[in-house]
Structures are given as C-alpha cells and as structure tokens.
Amino acid sequence: MRLITRINLLPNISVIRSSIIRKRSNDAKNKEEEVKEVKKNIIIEKYGAITTLNIDRQKLRNSLDIPTLQELGVALDAFDKDTESKVLVMNGEGGSFCSGFDIDEIGDKGYNALKDAASRLLRRPLCDKPTIAAVSGYAVAEGFELALACDLRIIEDTAVLGCLGRRFGVPQGLFGARRLTSLIGLSRALDLLMTGRLISGTEAHQAGLACKLTTTGTALGESVKLAKSLVKFPQNALIMDKLAAVNSQLNPNSEESMRDEAVFTSLLGNAIEDIKEGVKKFQGGIGKHGKFYKLTEVPLKDWELEETLEEVKVTIEEKKKNGKS
C-alpha cells in the first residue's frame, strides 16, 4: 500500500513542479514584455560624426512632458561628452518638430515642475558643439524655444512657428525671448512675442530664423547634409567662433541683465495663476488649433467683424489689380 501511495504521489509532484516552472516562465515573459513596453520618447541615432536626436511623442505632436524633458537633458549631456560626435541634428518624428510643454501635465503637476525638468535647455549655447534644428510641422511654445536654442535651423515652408503659449498666459521660460531678439531684432521679436501670432516657415525664413528654407518632408535630410558639411572643418576654431558669437548676444554680464532676471522671476510667480486659467481653457477646447478668436466664449464684436471684412475686401481688390479672379 505504501508503494502504491508513493507511485500515485509522483505524478502530482511532477505536475506541481511543471506548474511552478510554467509560472516562472510566464513571469519572465511578463517582465520581458514590461521592459519592451517601456518606450523612450527620445531616440538617438548616429551616422559617423553626426548624431540625430528625435523627439517621438507623435500622437501629442511631440509635446514635452517631464520624462521626455529628462530624457532630452540626458541625451544632450551624452552628446556633449561624446568625443566622436561633432554635430547634433534635432528632429521631431511624425511630421512635427515639437509643440511645447504638455499642457495637460502643466494642469496636473504645475508649470514650475516642467520648467525645472527643462533646466538643461537653459544653457546658452545649448551645446558647445554645433546643433541644427530640422523644423517641420509645428514648432510652437517651448518647441519654438527649443528650435531657437539650436545654432542653425532648416525650416520647411509649411512649418508653423510661434509663441503659442501667449493665449494661455505661459511666458517664454527657456530664454526664448532673448534668443528670438538676438536672431531677428527687437521690433520683429516683439511682434511675435506680444501678439503670439503664428508664422509659416516661409515667413520665418524671410525674418532670418532659417539658414535654409526647404520643402515639406525634407528638413531632416537637408539638416544632415548641412551637418556633413560642418564636420569637415577643423572643429576647435569653429566652436571658438560659435561661442564668441553666442556669448556676445546671449550672455552679457551686466547689472541690467541681472535686473531683468529678477523682474522675470517676480513676474513668473504672478503668471502661475494665469497659466492655470489657460490650462482650463485648453482642456475645455478653447483656443485650440491656432485660433485666437476662440479664446473666450464671447462672440466677435462689430469692430472686429468690420476689420475682417475690410481685410477680405482689400485682398479681392489686390487680386483684381493683378489680373486674378
């Protein structure tokens, strides 16, 4: 009887053991699947001495949340330390460069949390070595500032650029105002900064923001071509001249610049409440899609409608003069 009992127990033990092995195997597979599911939002690729940094949050037009900003900072530092990489090309996957801070995350965690995560982007210049922005689709709000932080910009003619945070009360928190002014002059910079109006890639090129204007879908390729031309030069003199130019414009060591920083810091505290209201508007569907006239629920006033009709009338008359129907 004892022998029979033992024989009957053996299959049960083997079943238990096999089930344990299966469970361990399944756990290992689940862990592997979890690792695979952890997706990086910054993709780095290297082509000889050229490094491409690609923002990959395509469903959100490559907006920047805290993890993405942290990845971005790490990637920039890694490029700085990489002795083999000479030029960085920054690109946005899926047809848009970058749409700025993730406004839903601003609502959840506050503007200062994202600004702190973006502290690496405050460096002037962004990197000592040359950087190029391949601008396609939307480069707005902090995405516009990110493009301005690069040394050179190749912009597609259909790209859309501008200070989109204006409608939501979000300031240029990454030295975008200084960079923009140094690039295109005070008058043009104030126009874009104060009105928040969006401009096309063509207008950006005319203003002096682009070193080259290109067609839709070619910004990255043209940027890599430019990078190839830069890596051929002796790098020490190139970097020295670049740093001298950038420092002369963006790092003036004066009491006035220190006073401006103090004023900015004091204003930022007051702007936080405006940002909160702006986030609520955005989440409620007001002001999306680049439309300023839907910032509030108040309908357009008579004088605004008259101005719009007058603009249309002028356009029609101009077309008639030019012999166009």
Side-chain angles (χ1 to χ4, degrees), residues 18 42 47 55 62 67 76 91 94 112 115 123 134 165 171 209 226 236 238 243 250 264 266 293 301 324:
S18 63
I42 300 295
Y47 306 94
I55 305 171
N62 296 327
L76 291 171
N91 172 60
N112 281 331
K115 192 170 183 298
R123 265 192 56 183
L209 287 176
L226 176 58
N236 289 332
L238 187 151
L243 292 177
L250 296 178
F264 178 84
S266 66
Y293 60 81
K301 295 184 179 180
K324 296 179 182 178

Side-chain angles (χ1 to χ4, degrees), residues 57 64-69 101-111 113-114 117 279 283:
R57 296 189 80 212
L64 303 170
D65 61 358
I66 290 175
T68 306
L69 287 165
F101 285 170
D102 187 325
I103 202 158
D104 288 326
E105 186 144 307
I106 293 178
D108 293 339
K109 299 182 179 179
Y111 175 76
L114 276 85
V279 169
Q283 292 174 335

Side-chain angles (χ1 to χ4, degrees), residues 171 262-272:
V263 171
F264 178 84
T265 302
S266 66
L267 288 173
L268 179 59
N270 297 329
I272 295 298

